[in-house]
Amino acid sequence: MSILRLEHVYKSFGKLDVIKDLSFSVSEHAVFGFIGPNGAGKTTTMKMILGFLKPDAGEIYVCNEKVIYGNTKTNRYIGYLPDVPEFYGYMRPWEYLQLCGEISGLSSAKIKDKTDELLHIVGLDGVNRKIRGFSRGMKQRLGIAQALLNDPILLICDEPTSALDPIGRKEVLDVLSVVRDKTTVVFSTHILSDVERICDSIGVLYQGKVVMQGKLSELKNTYRQESVLIEVEDKSQVSLLEKEIGKLNAVSQIDVFENSLKVTLNQMDLINNAVLELVIKHNINLKKYEVLEPTLENLFMELVQ
Amino acid sequence: MEKLIEYLPFLIPIVLLELLLMVIALVHIFKHENYRFGTRWLWIIIVVFIQIVGPIIYLTIGRSED
Amino acid sequence: MRGFFAFTKKEFREHFRTYRIIILAAVFFIFGMFSPLRAKMLPEIFSSLDMQGILINIPEPTYLDAYSQFFKNMTQIGLIVVLLVFSGMITNELTKGTLVIILSKGLPRHTVILSKYLVAVILWTISYAAAAVLNHVYTVYLFNQVSGEGVLFSLFCLWLFGVFMLAVIILASTITQGNYGGLLLSAGILILLMVLNMFPKCQRFNPVSLAANNAGLIANTVSVSDLVPTVWITVGLTALGILLSIFIFQEKQL
């Protein structure tokens, strides 16, 4: 069952067409990475899902219920973390969560339990300062806590890691991986390593359209580049190896670096052994032999160029 | 003049309230570096010399939003 | 309904922690106490000054002077304070974006407007009532007599004008953008209404009349029946302003 579904959504601001015929869906319990360069329309899309912006055309469904601009009932299924979450600076974290809980219609006992639990998960337990003194990372973590308060079926995070340092990023990603069992997560980012760390499916947004969508593992297979990286101990052997490998007929391209070669092949299975035989025959000391996995970075660059 | 002294018990709470507003505003000014507009000295002058209205203007539209 | 209570609680907390309640309380206490006192003291201040032989004849002040002083303070600085204190309540949230998370929790948008308006009206009512009671007690104490059936109606008129003004502030801050948009537009609307009030033909339909005839009502130079239509018009305009605010806010892209 798809938790979130967009059908032919269009949105423009003045003359600028931000979203052009955007369609995609996210299935239950997925961690969906919504990838795209800055300005691709990720935030706009999320705001339309929340009913904060009105699509010019198209329809959006959350849990099979249509999203209505303005006052959408579908928001009760959603936990939302905006790109820059803004809180009431004069409140303490637990006061803010209490407010959110009451608005969501949770019982007082439930609010108490969830507040304690979530403040612990995001590492803000025992923080009794007012929010105005919070760092960016602390606000982001409080943002996650409020988004998870009502046990959302769909958690939408807008660039949750972009403004954070490596430690803060790890903390946020850890929290997201903890909650993946219970909820479907959609998070936008332009940091691809974050996607590789926790997402199982992705959608790439480029120029207002999803140009690629699917399971991360399947996409990697489809776009697999058949190449190996050979790194040698002795620099002088690089040219010898290049010459010998060049004679093999399944090789399509060889890139030479200082003490390594990147060999692109037409057929991985047949040639792997042939290359290794050459290495043994010429008594070359290998430092590293790696069958290259396609990185998201490469996929992304390929699509965007 | 004697009559004025007679009214002193009425005047004192008024003066106290004015001072209260002034002190709240001054404490806030000294605790913060930035204001929505204006400088620290400008606000100190406004708060101290314009009775009642000075502190109110600072606390409502001059104060930074934290 | 739970969301409404939660947001209303948040509003009170906000007014308290951002000094707004303290400001209102202090200012209105000062007005309540100071107005009769000033009326009483005025001749004595003059007589204590050395006027170098010039005789100024000031008639003995009465409770009417106390009340006209009170209304003068309230309609001038008092309403400006109300404008300053409440003009930020929606604009601040919109410019900072603090409503985004709250609305994503499913709080209906009209609740935001209604709750904010209700809290503003309650605060205005309490502080105005406190000022009026103080003023009355002091006036009775200092002048020993207050009469005139006009007093309550006159106080009611100014209160209703405040309620109308709060609706203007809400509407102005939903329409405009930026930090001071709401403040400037509300001030603009009120100034326009004041200018219109200089034309006698407009006075009957203009809410500003409710804040211009208070002393006259007590002195019986203005009769209650003159202002009754204005009261109804003001009630109507207030309701219209709030409905319009809800409608505009509903359509606002966040």
Side-chain angles (χ1 to χ4, degrees), chain A residues 179-209:
Chain A
V179 302
R180 66 191 303 171
D181 308 331
K182 289 188 217 153
T183 80
T184 305
V185 182
V186 171
F187 87 103
S188 74
T189 185
H190 57 262
I191 303 170
L192 298 172
S193 58
D194 290 351
V195 175
E196 290 194 83
R197 204 133 99 193
I198 66 164
C199 289
D200 42 38
S201 58
I202 60 165
V204 178
L205 186 67
Y206 185 63
Q207 293 185 336
K209 279 184 183 174

Side-chain angles (χ1 to χ4, degrees), chain C residues 35-43 58-70 135 138-140 142-147 215 218-219:
Chain C
S35 306
L37 202 58
R38 204 190 115 127
K40 184 80 178 175
M41 276 164 47
L42 204 59
I58 296 172
E60 184 66 16
T62 67
Y63 72 95
L64 289 176
D65 297 289
Y67 261 97
S68 62
Q69 189 66 45
F70 174 73
N135 174 64
Y138 266 53
T139 306
V140 170
L142 290 170
F143 298 94
N144 292 322
Q145 55 134 188
V146 174
S147 72
I218 294 179

Side-chain angles (χ1 to χ4, degrees), chain A residues 45-80:
Chain A
T45 307
M46 292 186 159
K47 286 190 167 175
M48 287 193 289
I49 297 169
L50 286 151
F52 290 163
L53 289 176
K54 194 178 200 161
D56 298 335
E59 278 164 9
I60 301 172
Y61 295 89
V62 173
C63 298
N64 286 327
E65 256 179 64
K66 192 164 183 264
V67 173
I68 297 154
Y69 170 70
N71 272 331
T72 182
K73 291 215 160 55
T74 47
N75 277 0
R76 69 181 186 276
Y77 303 123
I78 301 179
Y80 174 54

Side-chain angles (χ1 to χ4, degrees), chain A residues 11 13 47 50-54 69-71 75 78 80 82 85-88 90-91 95-96 99-100 102-106 108 111 130 146-147 150, chain C residues 2-3 5-7 9-11 13-15 17-19 93 96-110 249-254:
Chain A
K11 176 74 189 169
F13 294 109
K47 286 190 167 175
L50 286 151
F52 290 163
L53 289 176
K54 194 178 200 161
Y69 170 70
N71 272 331
N75 277 0
I78 301 179
Y80 174 54
E86 288 291 352
F87 307 100
Y88 299 110
Y90 53 83
M91 284 191 182
E95 289 172 338
Y96 190 79
L99 169 68
C100 291
E102 285 170 2
I103 289 173
S104 310
L106 304 179
S108 309
I111 292 172
K130 290 193 179 151
Q146 65 75 22
N150 54 337
Chain C
R2 195 113 184 276
F5 283 123
F7 196 78
K9 200 171 82 184
K10 171 250 155 197
E11 278 297 301
R13 183 179 264 161
E14 178 169 315
H15 282 298
R17 291 198 184 165
T18 54
Y19 308 99
E93 296 228 38
K96 267 196 86 189
T98 39
L99 279 178
V100 169
I101 290 176
I102 300 298
L103 292 176
S104 80
K105 298 272 166 222
L107 186 74
R109 291 199 186 190
H110 60 85
F249 191 59
Q250 201 91 317
E251 290 297 309
K252 211 171 175 92
Q253 303 210 347
L254 292 177

Side-chain angles (χ1 to χ4, degrees), chain B residues 21 46-47 50-60, chain C residues 27 31 77 80-81 84:
Chain B
L21 279 181
I46 289 177
V47 164
I50 306 178
Q51 284 181 0
I52 309 180
V53 178
I56 293 169
I57 291 182
Y58 173 72
L59 290 172
T60 49
Chain C
V27 169
F31 283 165
I77 305 175
I80 291 174
V81 169
L84 284 174

